[in-house]
C-alpha cells in the first residue's frame, strides 16, 4: 500500500516568528487520520525568524532529529549537548528519562529553515544523549547516504530505534533506488525540489508512505532535489 501526504494538506501553524507545517498531528494541529506512521511520530517543517526560537522546554522518551535546510540552528540542552547546525547537518537528541533544551535561530539577520523529526524509541527511561553529524557530499550519479541508524553504521548517528534515515541529493535526471521489504515500513519526504516515484510527481513538502510493499522504490529528480527516506520497523 502506498499513501500520499501532499504538502498543502499538512497542518499549518503561524505564530509571529514561527511558520510551521506539520506532516502529523502536533500541538494545536490534530487530525486523527494523521497521528504518525509507525514509530515515526513527527515531521515539522519550521521556519524561524532571525534571533527567535523555542525557549527551554522538556521532553522525555523520544528520539529527536533536527535537519537544517537553510540558515543555522543553535541548540543547548541539560545533558550537556549543544552546538550550531547548518545546512545538511543532522542533530540527534535522545530525550531518555528527561531532558530540557532550547532551539534558536543562530542568526540575527537571516531566517532558519529546518525539519524537526521525532521517532518513538525502542526503550524507555534511558540516559539522555546528544550527537551531531556533519553534512555529507552528494553521492556521485545519485544514491542514498545513511544519516542515522541503530548502530552508527557508515558514520551515521546512532539512535535508539530499529530505523534508518537516509538522504539523497540529486541533480536533474539522477535517481536513487531502495529495496523494499514488506515486513518494514518506509516514509519518503521530499524536502526540496521536484521528483518522481513511478507516475507520482512530488514537490517540496510532499511525502509517500509504503507498507506491505515489495520491489524497489525508484526516485528520479525533476531538477535538483533533496529527499529523506525513513526505513522503519513494521
Amino acid at each position: 500500500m502506498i499513501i500520499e501526504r501532499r504538502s498543502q494538506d499538512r497542518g499549518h501553524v503561524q505564530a509571529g516568528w514561527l511558520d510551521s507545517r506539520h506532516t502529523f498531528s502536533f500541538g494545536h494541529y490534530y487530525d486523527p487520520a494523521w497521528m504518525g506512521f509507525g514509530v515515526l511520530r513527527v515531521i515539522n517543517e519550521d521556519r524561524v525568524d532571525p534571533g527567535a526560537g523555542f525557549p527551554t522546554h522538556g521532553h522525555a522518551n523520544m528520539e529527536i532529529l533536527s535537519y537544517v535546510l537553510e540558515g543555522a540552528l543553535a541548540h543547548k540542552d541539560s545533558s550537556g549537548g549543544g552546538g550550531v547546525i547548518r545546512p545538511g547537518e543532522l542533530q540527534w537528541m535522545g530525550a531518555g528519562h528527561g531532558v530540557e533544551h532550547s532551539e534558536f535561530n543562530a542568526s540575527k539577520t537571516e531566517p532558519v529553515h529546518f525539519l524537526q523529526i521525532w521517532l518513538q524509541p525502542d526503550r524507555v527511561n534511558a540516559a539522555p544523549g546528544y550527537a551531531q553529524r556533519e553534512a555529507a557530499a552528494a553521492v556521485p550519479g545519485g544514491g542514498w547516504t545513511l544519516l542515522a541508524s541503530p548502530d552508527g553504521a557508515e558514520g551515521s548517528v546512532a539512535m535508539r530505534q530499529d530505523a534508518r534515515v537516509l538522504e539523497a541529493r540529486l541533480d536533474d535526471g539522477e535517481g536513487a533506488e531502495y529495496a523494499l521489504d514488506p515486513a518494514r515500513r518506509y516514509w519518503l519526504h521530499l524536502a526540496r525540489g521536484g521528483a518522481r516515484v513511478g507516475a507520482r510527481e512530488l514537490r517540496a513538502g510532499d511525502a509517500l508512505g509504503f507498507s506491505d510493499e515489495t520491489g524497489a522504490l525508484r526516485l528520479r529528480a525533476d531538477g535538483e532535489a533533496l529527499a529523506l527516506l525513513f526505513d522503519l520497523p513494521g
Side-chain angles (χ1 to χ4, degrees):
M1 180 176 67
I2 302 176
I3 63 173
E4 295 185 357
R5 183 60 158 154
R6 294 295 174 180
S7 176
Q8 67 270 18
D9 297 329
R10 295 178 295 174
H12 184 208
V13 174
Q14 193 159 18
W17 54 270
L18 172 67
D19 186 288
S20 186
R21 302 279 177 171
H22 301 336
T23 297
F24 305 113
S25 294
F26 183 89
H28 295 297
Y29 168 65
Y30 173 74
D31 184 339
W34 296 100
M35 297 302 295
F37 188 74
V39 300
L40 180 58
R41 182 62 189 83
V42 169
I43 301 179
N44 290 350
E45 182 180 1
D46 292 340
R47 290 175 169 86
V48 176
D49 286 348
F54 303 91
T56 301
H57 58 286
H59 295 288
N61 294 317
M62 196 65 69
E63 301 293 280
I64 299 175
L65 303 173
S66 297
Y67 181 93
V68 172
L69 297 168
E70 296 174 295
L73 182 69
H75 166 95
K76 185 177 182 180
D77 69 55
S78 57
S79 76
V84 176
I85 55 174
R86 302 184 188 280
E89 296 183 343
L90 182 77
Q91 172 193 276
W92 165 77
M93 185 181 74
H97 56 65
V99 68
E100 293 191 340
H101 80 134
S102 62
E103 289 177 301
F104 277 86
N105 188 336
S107 172
K108 300 297 184 183
T109 58
E110 300 294 331
V112 61
H113 179 197
F114 69 102
L115 299 176
Q116 184 165 114
I117 300 153
W118 295 10
L119 296 98
Q120 295 170 340
D122 62 7
R123 70 206 74 170
V124 296
N125 297 329
Y130 177 88
Q132 185 172 326
R133 188 190 192 284
E134 294 182 355
V139 176
W144 298 103
T145 299
L146 185 63
L147 301 182
S149 68
D151 55 4
E154 301 174 24
S156 63
V157 169
M159 59 182 180
R160 298 158 178 164
Q161 182 52 264
D162 179 22
R164 290 157 185 82
V165 182
L166 303 103
E167 166 199 82
R169 294 175 175 268
L170 305 173
D171 290 328
D172 187 28
E174 289 184 337
E177 294 190 8
Y178 199 81
L180 301 179
D181 179 348
R184 295 182 66 81
R185 300 183 182 201
Y186 306 88
W187 188 266
L188 176 70
H189 179 91
L190 191 67
R192 181 181 292 124
R196 293 175 180 268
V197 176
R200 291 179 168 88
E201 294 186 9
L202 303 178
R203 293 294 177 260
D206 290 345
L208 297 175
F210 301 80
S211 59
D212 298 315
E213 289 288 321
T214 59
L217 186 166
R218 294 183 174 91
L219 175 72
R220 188 154 302 277
D222 181 9
E224 291 186 357
L226 169 61
L228 296 180
L229 179 64
F230 300 85
D231 179 342
L232 308 165

